[in-house]
């Protein structure tokens, strides 16, 4: 085996290890720690009401909201519960590219690549998951604002 082939294999194994580390760290942040900036958490659910806790940018408690749907829209309570429960998965898929951008950006900086290129690549890694997360949070917010 040539030295070049072994170098490529090592590089692939390092990238796989970074992907696994990013997934584990993101999982810990999203699920056990429950860090959800600008997110919501279901506190209490009764027949046609749902009490939600909203969080600020830092992930600290902001305020509690009581959601009571209008007549004929009781199905929105179940939809809101599902959206709030899916929120952790959305955050997991958001944190993974952030971790990868940090890791790969750090390696690129160590290899003397330009800071502008590293920041642009990091932005591209995070763009699609950020759009998906913002859309998900906006769906929850739209349901809550239409009830008031």
């Amino acid at each position: 085996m040539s030295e070049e082939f072994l170098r490529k294999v090592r590089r692939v194994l390092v990238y796989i290890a970074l992907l696994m580390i990013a997934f584990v760290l993101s999982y810990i942040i999203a699920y056990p720690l429950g860090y959800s900036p600008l997110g919501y958490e279901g506190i209490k659910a009764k027949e046609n009401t749902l009490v939600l806790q909203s969080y600020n940018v830092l992930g600290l408690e902001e305020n509690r909201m009581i959601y009571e749907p209008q007549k004929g829209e009781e199905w929105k309570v179940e939809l809101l519960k599902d959206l709030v429960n899916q929120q952790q998965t959305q955050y997991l898929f958001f944190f993974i590219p952030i971790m990868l951008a940090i890791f790969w950006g750090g390696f690129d900086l160590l290899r003397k690549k330009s800071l502008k290129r590293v920041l642009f690549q990091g932005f591209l890694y995070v763009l699609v998951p950020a759009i998906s997360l913002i859309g998900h949070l906006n769906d929850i917010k739209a349901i809550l604002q239409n009830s008031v």
Side-chain angles (χ1 to χ4, degrees):
M1 286 192 208
S2 70
E3 187 65 32
E4 183 65 29
F5 178 74
L6 289 176
R7 188 175 296 129
K8 286 181 182 181
V9 169
R10 277 190 227 121
R11 186 177 306 144
V12 168
L13 290 176
V14 166
Y15 286 153
I16 290 171
L18 288 177
L19 182 63
M20 291 171 50
I21 291 169
F23 179 79
V24 169
L25 288 176
S26 300
Y27 181 84
I28 290 170
I29 291 170
Y31 285 97
L33 293 179
Y35 179 64
S36 55
L38 300 176
Y40 300 92
E41 179 183 4
I43 303 270
K44 193 184 321 179
K46 291 189 180 179
E47 291 176 16
N48 288 332
T49 61
L50 181 63
V51 178
L52 294 174
Q53 176 71 49
S54 69
Y55 295 99
N56 62 10
V57 175
L58 299 175
L60 302 173
E61 293 181 0
E62 193 169 71
N63 58 6
R64 289 187 179 203
M65 298 175 239
I66 299 174
Y67 175 72
E68 294 183 51
Q70 298 173 357
K71 286 215 177 214
E73 294 184 345
E74 288 82 16
W75 58 271
K76 286 187 177 182
V77 172
E78 292 300 320
L79 175 63
L80 194 56
K81 283 183 197 176
D82 289 341
L83 288 174
V84 169
N85 289 336
Q86 293 169 1
Q87 180 178 253
Q88 287 180 322
T89 306
Q90 291 289 327
Y91 276 107
L92 175 69
F93 291 138
F94 176 68
F95 291 137
I96 289 173
I98 288 176
M99 295 292 174
L100 287 175
I102 291 170
F103 293 155
W104 286 340
F107 279 127
D108 284 345
L109 287 175
L110 288 175
R111 287 190 272 166
K112 306 290 186 208
K113 301 221 174 152
S114 74
L115 180 63
K116 189 185 299 186
R117 177 181 174 185
V118 170
L119 291 176
F120 183 70
Q121 283 179 339
F123 171 75
L124 291 179
Y125 291 150
V126 177
L127 180 65
V128 173
I131 291 171
S132 175
L133 178 65
I134 290 170
H136 186 81
L137 294 176
N138 284 340
D139 290 343
I140 294 172
K141 193 181 292 186
I143 292 173
L144 290 173
Q145 288 178 349
N146 286 338
S147 70
V148 177

